Amino acid sequence: TPTPDGQPPRTSPTPYPSPELAPAPNPPARGPAVRTIVLSRLRPEDVGTWLAQRLRAVPDADLVRRAHGLSRGIPGALDALLVEWAAQGAIRVVDRHAFLATGAPVPVLPDDDRHVAALRALGEPCWTVAGALSVLWPLGRPAAALVAASTGLSAEAVGEGIGALLDEGIVDDLPGPDGAASRGWTFRLPLMAHTVRERLGPFDRARLSAAAVDALWTAGTPAGPGVPPAILAEADAVAYLPDRIADAGLLVDRERAVAELTAAAGALYPDHERRGMVRWFLGAVRLIEEPSARERAVLRCAQAAFGCGDFRMARAAAERIVNGPAKGLDPLTLHEAATLLVAAAAVEQDWPALSRMGTAVWWDGLRLPALATVSGRVQALWQLEKWQEALALLAQTEAVWQSTPGTRSLLELFGRVGEFVLGRPERFRQDLALPEVPDVPPNKAFAQNIAQFDVLLGIGDLRGGRDLLSVRELTPELLPESSRFLLHHLEGRWDEALALARRILVNGRVLTVVPGHRLLPARTAAILLARGRVTGADRLISTVRGQLDGPLEHVLDHVDAEVLRTLGDLDRAERVLRRGLRAADERGSVYCTDELWASLAAVHAETGDTGRAAACLTRLEQLAEQMDSGRTRLLYLLTSGSAVRPGSADAGRQLREAVDLARSRSQPFETAVTLSAAARANAGPAKLLHEAYELFGETGAALWRFHTRTAMREAGLVVPGRAQAMAENQRLLATLLAEGLTNRQIAQVLRLSEDAVANRLSRLFARTGMRSRTEVVTAVLTGGPLTGDSR
């Protein structure tokens, strides 16, 4: 396999461990007064409810689907499955939502499980027949003859074994159409079929799989991704034959096996559900004897593993090739292996390893061509956001990486992005208008388009990002999850953005395309904060912070400071903002520093330090001119007109320009913030507050909507929907309680007095019938109504 011998397995640390399960009901003791009640199968929606109760979190749709599929809704099997998944650490909870970890294996039920015990109690030949059927049942009735031929049992013994399995309810008959003869048999529980198959020894499984392969090949089953006609409709016809070929190994024709495994794996790319692509590539690798061909197959397997999220395997395979390349491997293959190694280390957040890869000494000890060492080293520096070093290396080695179209376009992109981050955006923006580079493989062209897209959305250029998608003929559905998150965040589709963020964060993949490694958690924390999830935002920021020698984290510093400002801690907010600006300045980066300068100016204005506030504003104005960024210009106008120079002769004009600019950018939350600032400063009609109020509602920014209600009342405006406003106030107050905030902190967040908060809490308890904070918190955590006895 691609895993290097002698290397310990790498694990990516995740801050989201498996939850403790709520206890399952204990079965009653047996006795004459006890009777057995057979529970009906649960529907998918019932499984979702059951999982929510056991996990104390909202289950992800994929978790519900897989749990129902493996258990078929049988309560006892569902309980066994959940216990085994929890023991594996496969179920993780983030932001009160439960997920199945990417690539989590199907559990093998233990010996003391009731289903396994029932099968063992049948003895032989039932156990042997069940094991063979676990491999062969998808072939229908011919499976019985194959079971006999493969196990040495007589046809009569196999028939008796199948009959006993049917009587016990371990397998079910598959009736033919219109009452015709049975088409074959299937296991009542897919989880049980998996358990029995995994308990087979490797030789038994290979022998049974070879029998299935020979039967399908002999019948003339076509190779490729099509559905083999001899396989039952109840089976996964796409995966069955390549699975059996991979298990059969050397017991089937080697050349045909390699061809079919490779074709099946390629057809399944990118296999986000991990149905078998990597396993089939591995099967092909084991059958290839010629060293250079084998190494190329290992690289294909590693790239497939990276694409479906198995970064540990991808890195191990790339290390194997890089550390000991086989003779005959061409420079481009070694270049691919080197860049894959760096990319996998970056996703695993192994910053010390990347720091070593950023040095010439590390690459000098390897038997690699210059193309691979230069590309790998540049990418390591790029991942670490050491932009100046990366640009210097690119300039020194231009003759090397200009040699092929693929490497040339990739490293030119690295250079353009580096220049952009360092405050020289001209060539990056010029490249956006150019057609795609010819002779670049489609997957690499796609990756480069995504890199450009993420850079634009990182600076809030939604229009530029959409234009790029249009020119490159890409749809949002084709984007990676992290890119779709950035898009939904700017579009104000925050519920969809959070759903994507939870899925990415729970599996530890918190990186986006550089620059802005931490954009996804930073923007997620900002959404949580806007919704009143103050502690949740703070916890997320702390969880994803990395090591000192890693990439920049100033985007986290910005939202960290906003949390502190919300809680009224301006001194700490200032220190955090200055830390972020200092770190960015040390690397020459100006990317996303406009947010920090604007927040720092506002902090100084709030504390009365007008001189420092004006200095921050000047820096912000310079950035707006330097980067030609609409967001930076908008931040300058807002900061000047509403924070640093409110009431000045230019303030009204600046805020009116800000309103026009925000409307042209079509970002709901950004527009609402701008409208609210203009209305509060009397730079526009008070009715702007009504528009801001509706936009905050569209995004679900409950805290901003609360403050806007207050501003509307102060301006003498009627707040629409009195009952709805009251319900929103209650829900926000309950959320702040669930966040663990004290009355004093809640008062600071809501900009009320402590007495006012105490009164609101009393009214909350009186209206809902709840008697304690604990009851309120329970309702919020489970998503239940704010009523008494919500537990």
Side-chain angles (χ1 to χ4, degrees):
T1 68
T3 305
D5 293 338
Q7 294 293 323
R10 253 184 216 88
T11 57
S12 298
T14 174
Y16 307 107
S18 292
E20 292 186 9
L21 299 179
N26 291 322
R30 295 185 180 274
V34 176
R35 60 192 180 93
T36 300
I37 299 176
V38 178
L39 299 177
S40 59
R41 297 192 184 199
L42 301 176
R43 299 168 300 176
E45 56 268 30
D46 300 325
V47 170
T49 302
W50 187 89
L51 286 170
Q53 293 171 346
R54 291 292 306 278
L55 298 172
R56 300 186 179 95
V58 179
D60 174 63
D62 180 62
L63 172 58
V64 174
R65 178 183 61 80
R66 291 197 60 192
H68 182 268
L70 288 168
S71 69
R72 296 276 169 85
I74 297 175
L78 186 61
D79 180 68
L81 174 64
L82 190 59
V83 168
E84 293 302 315
W85 262 337
Q88 291 176 357
I91 296 179
R92 299 170 185 171
V93 173
V94 60
D95 192 30
R96 306 168 186 165
H97 287 68
F99 296 84
L100 193 62
T102 298
V106 178
V108 176
L109 295 175
D111 286 336
D112 59 359
D113 176 80
R114 70 186 77 174
H115 305 92
V116 177
L119 175 57
R120 284 201 180 278
L122 295 177
E124 292 292 354
C126 292
W127 181 264
T128 298
V129 171
L133 277 181
S134 71
V135 174
L136 298 171
W137 74 264
L139 298 179
R141 292 196 66 81
L146 290 173
V147 169
S150 300
T151 62
L153 294 171
S154 66
E156 292 76 11
V158 171
E160 291 174 3
I162 292 176
L165 295 173
L166 286 167
D167 292 341
E168 189 64 25
I170 294 171
V171 300
D172 289 331
D173 250 326
L174 292 173
D178 301 324
S182 170
R183 295 179 290 118
W185 312 272
T186 183
F187 280 76
R188 180 168 297 180
L189 280 178
L191 179 61
M192 189 62 179
H194 172 79
T195 295
V196 175
R197 184 170 59 252
E198 290 300 307
R199 287 173 177 273
L200 291 170
F203 177 74
D204 287 335
R205 184 152 44 164
R207 179 166 44 82
L208 290 164
S209 294
V213 174
D214 288 340
L216 290 171
W217 280 356
T218 301
T221 302
V227 177
I231 296 176
L232 291 173
E234 287 77 6
D236 184 351
V238 171
Y240 181 71
L241 179 56
D243 274 346
R244 300 288 69 81
I245 296 172
D247 281 347
L250 295 172
L251 298 184
V252 295
D253 180 84
R254 184 194 298 264
E255 187 174 343
R256 181 171 180 179
V258 170
E260 293 202 14
L261 286 172
T262 303
L268 205 58
Y269 182 85
D271 192 20
H272 292 306
E273 295 185 2
R274 298 199 184 184
R275 294 174 62 192
M277 177 181 63
V278 173
R279 184 169 64 253
W280 304 338
F281 270 131
L282 277 175
V285 166
R286 297 187 184 107
L287 295 173
I288 298 173
E289 294 182 295
E290 199 277 318
S292 61
R294 179 182 171 88
E295 293 295 84
R296 282 190 287 271
V298 167
L299 179 59
R300 285 197 302 269
C301 181
Q303 291 168 330
F306 188 92
C308 67
D310 192 342
F311 306 115
R312 185 181 69 174
M313 175 178 284
R315 182 173 175 183
E319 279 181 335
R320 165 180 168 162
I321 297 172
V322 167
N323 289 332
K327 291 182 179 180
L329 284 181
D330 59 280
L332 281 178
T333 298
L334 294 172
H335 155 76
E336 295 281 350
T339 56
L340 179 62
L341 173 60
V342 174
V347 178
E348 289 193 314
Q349 302 178 57
D350 190 347
W351 310 125
L354 282 171
S355 294
R356 293 190 293 272
M357 293 178 194
T359 64
V361 173
W362 193 88
W363 296 96
D364 287 346
L366 302 173
R367 295 185 291 109
L368 296 173
L371 180 64
T373 59
V374 167
S375 183
R377 186 181 168 198
V378 168
Q379 187 172 345
L381 293 170
W382 201 58
Q383 293 284 358
L384 291 165
E385 299 192 39
K386 296 183 177 180
W387 308 106
Q388 293 160 323
E389 294 178 50
L391 288 178
L393 181 59
L394 283 172
Q396 296 165 8
T397 58
E398 185 171 0
V400 175
W401 55 263
Q402 284 278 359
S403 57
T404 60
T407 57
R408 181 169 62 247
S409 63
L410 176 65
L411 294 182
E412 281 180 348
L413 174 64
F414 285 2
R416 301 293 187 265
V417 172
E419 292 171 1
F420 187 93
V421 169
L422 295 177
R424 305 195 299 273
E426 296 79 17
R427 293 208 294 175
F428 177 83
R429 293 197 179 277
Q430 290 169 4
D431 284 354
L432 296 176
L434 297 175
E436 290 184 282
V437 178
D439 302 324
V440 174
N443 62 326
K444 291 183 172 52
F446 177 76
Q448 292 171 32
N449 289 331
I450 296 305
Q452 293 173 318
F453 179 81
D454 284 358
V455 169
L456 291 172
L457 266 63
I459 62 168
D461 190 353
L462 177 60
R463 178 183 295 176
R466 285 172 170 168
D467 289 345
L468 179 65
L469 293 183
S470 177
V471 169
R472 300 292 190 249
E473 298 182 346
L474 297 173
T475 62
E477 293 74 23
L478 295 174
L479 299 174
E481 287 183 333
S482 57
S483 301
R484 276 188 283 137
F485 166 85
L486 295 175
L487 179 63
H488 292 337
H489 170 257
L490 294 182
E491 291 176 334
R493 296 160 61 182
W494 283 4
D495 288 338
E496 295 171 68
L498 281 178
L500 288 168
R502 294 184 193 109
R503 190 183 307 278
I504 298 169
L505 289 167
V506 80
N507 286 301
R509 302 198 304 273
V510 297
L511 300 180
T512 59
V513 177
V514 285
H517 273 298
R518 306 301 188 184
L519 273 173
L520 188 144
R523 300 303 187 236
T524 302
I527 293 174
L528 296 178
L529 179 61
R531 293 186 165 188
R533 300 281 309 283
V534 183
T535 305
D538 180 64
R539 186 183 299 116
L540 174 57
I541 296 164
S542 301
T543 299
V544 300
R545 283 201 182 274
Q547 300 166 335
L548 293 177
D549 57 353
L552 288 169
E553 297 187 341
H554 60 298
V555 291
L556 292 176
D557 289 322
H558 173 252
V559 69
D560 195 357
E562 291 304 299
V563 171
L564 293 169
R565 287 181 65 192
T566 301
L567 293 170
D569 194 340
L570 297 181
D571 288 341
R572 284 182 62 200
E574 178 186 346
R575 292 197 296 273
V576 169
L577 289 167
R578 291 196 175 280
R579 178 183 65 194
L581 287 168
R582 184 168 55 251
D585 185 62
E586 287 173 355
R587 301 196 193 181
S589 174
V590 300
Y591 188 75
C592 289
T593 58
D594 50 358
E595 298 173 316
L596 281 82
W597 284 114
S599 292
L600 187 57
V603 167
H604 286 318
E606 288 182 57
T607 58
D609 193 338
T610 56
R612 287 187 174 182
C616 292
L617 186 64
T618 299
R619 181 69 182 111
L620 194 56
E621 184 177 23
Q622 293 169 349
L623 273 178
E625 294 175 357
Q626 178 182 0
M627 298 301 291
D628 190 23
S629 164
R631 182 183 68 179
T632 312
R633 177 66 182 173
L634 180 60
L635 287 172
Y636 165 73
L637 295 170
L638 279 174
T639 305
S640 178
S642 63
V644 179
R645 299 169 181 166
S648 66
D650 289 334
R653 175 190 59 78
Q654 289 176 327
L655 289 173
R656 286 189 291 274
E657 181 186 341
V659 168
D660 291 340
L661 178 55
R663 290 190 190 282
S664 71
R665 287 166 54 79
S666 303
Q667 298 177 31
F669 182 75
E670 179 186 84
T671 302
V673 170
T674 305
L675 296 175
S676 177
R680 289 170 187 244
N682 298 316
K687 67 179 182 181
L688 291 180
L689 289 172
H690 274 293
E691 187 179 349
Y693 187 69
E694 294 303 321
L695 289 172
F696 285 135
E698 289 177 14
T699 61
L703 185 55
W704 283 83
R705 193 164 156 95
F706 175 87
H707 291 316
T708 306
R709 275 196 293 273
T710 302
M712 291 169 71
R713 294 190 182 101
E714 291 173 350
L717 301 175
V718 176
V719 177
R722 184 174 182 275
Q724 180 183 351
M726 184 180 298
E728 289 180 6
N729 284 343
Q730 287 185 177
R731 177 59 66 173
L732 176 60
L733 186 58
T735 297
L736 295 174
L737 284 177
E739 291 291 290
L741 301 186
T742 64
N743 281 16
R744 176 175 294 182
Q745 290 172 319
I746 293 174
Q748 183 63 51
V749 170
L750 298 181
R751 302 171 193 166
L752 300 172
S753 67
E754 286 189 58
D755 288 342
V757 169
N759 290 335
R760 284 173 178 264
L761 286 173
S762 297
R763 291 197 296 272
L764 173 66
F765 292 134
R767 287 170 179 160
T768 62
M770 294 183 176
R771 297 177 296 277
S772 67
R773 287 185 178 228
T774 301
E775 212 171 342
V776 176
V777 170
T778 300
V780 172
L781 292 178
T782 59
L786 294 178
T787 57
D789 299 323
S790 63
R791 293 170 292 178

